[in-house]
Amino acid sequence: MGEVAEFPVEGGSQDPVGPSRQERLEALRRQIAAIPARGESARPRPAEPTASPVPADRLLPVPEPLARLLPDGGLARGSVVSFSGATSLLLGVLASATAAGGHAAVVGHRRLGLLAAAEMGAELSRIALIPDPGPDPVEVAAVLLDGMDLVVLGLGGTVVPPSRTRAVVARARSKGAALVVTDGRWDGAHVRLEAAVHGYRGLSAPARGRLCGTRFSVRAQGRSFQPRSARMDLCAGRAGVEWRPGGPAQVGSPRPAEVAL
């Protein structure tokens, strides 16, 4: 060690100018703490590594404007997303995931605009619909996590207790699937998304013209990032319905067309 610790003696005489008994004990504790454990190097431990970005193969694609809003650029497999508001953005997430080859299931949504999803590029043959899952939709969704890349679960206004959410999150993580919950309360979600219609494009006062786009305001917040907001447009393009970053209409944009929302 190279140093000798001096123990204080009870009742013995002390140098009036020397360290007190408490100071000696503190010094001794510091010396003991500095002694490396058996088999441990005396070199200082390296700092804890910083969190690395999620690998691309662990992400599900989302519409490009939403990807810019999320810190990882997509939905991480094994995560839970709480969604509320306009369902057009939810359909966009389904479209992006299935167009990229993923398989999705929608549980507890009796009315879903599949036409709008198809116009956004969704592959309908890769979407399983369970509109009436029975008295326990959470259990149905948990089973579907085994074979799906994305599961959208409508809670029907119910509150899922934390003990149940933890079990489902652990299952999603082990199976590598993303879960999106809507229409209810799910505490502990990794990401929360709120989408609202902000306006329309193509309509002139007094509400005349042809609808060629809808503008949304989207707010995202999560465990690992501060709340952030953005506007994005759902526009009619030549190849179908497209998601674009919100902003003024550009010269040379595709001709107006009706959009199914």
Side-chain angles (χ1 to χ4, degrees), residues 58 77-78 145-146 167-177:
R58 297 291 298 172
R77 293 179 178 271
L145 290 171
D146 288 4
V168 177
V169 170
R171 190 182 188 97
R173 186 182 301 112
S174 66
K175 302 301 180 181

Side-chain angles (χ1 to χ4, degrees), residues 68 136 184 213 251:
R68 298 181 182 183
D136 194 352
V251 177

Side-chain angles (χ1 to χ4, degrees), residues 50-59 71-73 76:
T50 58
S52 57
V54 179
D57 61 349
R58 297 291 298 172
L59 289 175
D72 297 319

Side-chain angles (χ1 to χ4, degrees), residues 100-194:
H103 290 79
V106 181
V107 181
H109 283 267
R110 295 175 179 268
R111 296 181 178 180
L112 194 69
L114 292 181
L115 174 59
E119 291 182 341
M120 295 179 198
E123 181 57 60
L124 299 184
S125 63
R126 298 194 180 105
I127 300 178
L129 300 177
I130 303 92
D132 188 4
D136 194 352
V138 176
E139 180 62 25
V140 174
V143 173
L144 289 170
L145 290 171
D146 288 4
M148 297 291 174
D149 300 288
L150 173 65
V151 176
V152 177
L153 170 61
L155 296 174
T158 61
V159 178
V160 184
S163 58
R164 192 89 185 274
T165 63
R166 287 193 292 268
V168 177
V169 170
R171 190 182 188 97
R173 186 182 301 112
S174 66
K175 302 301 180 181
L179 175 66
V180 178
V181 294
T182 68
D183 304 327
R185 180 175 173 181
W186 185 291
D187 293 332
H190 300 87
V191 177
R192 295 187 179 276
L193 294 175
E194 302 172 12

Side-chain angles (χ1 to χ4, degrees), residues 61-74 232:
V62 297
E64 182 181 356
L66 180 58
R68 298 181 182 183
L69 197 59
L70 298 175
D72 297 319
M232 51 193 72

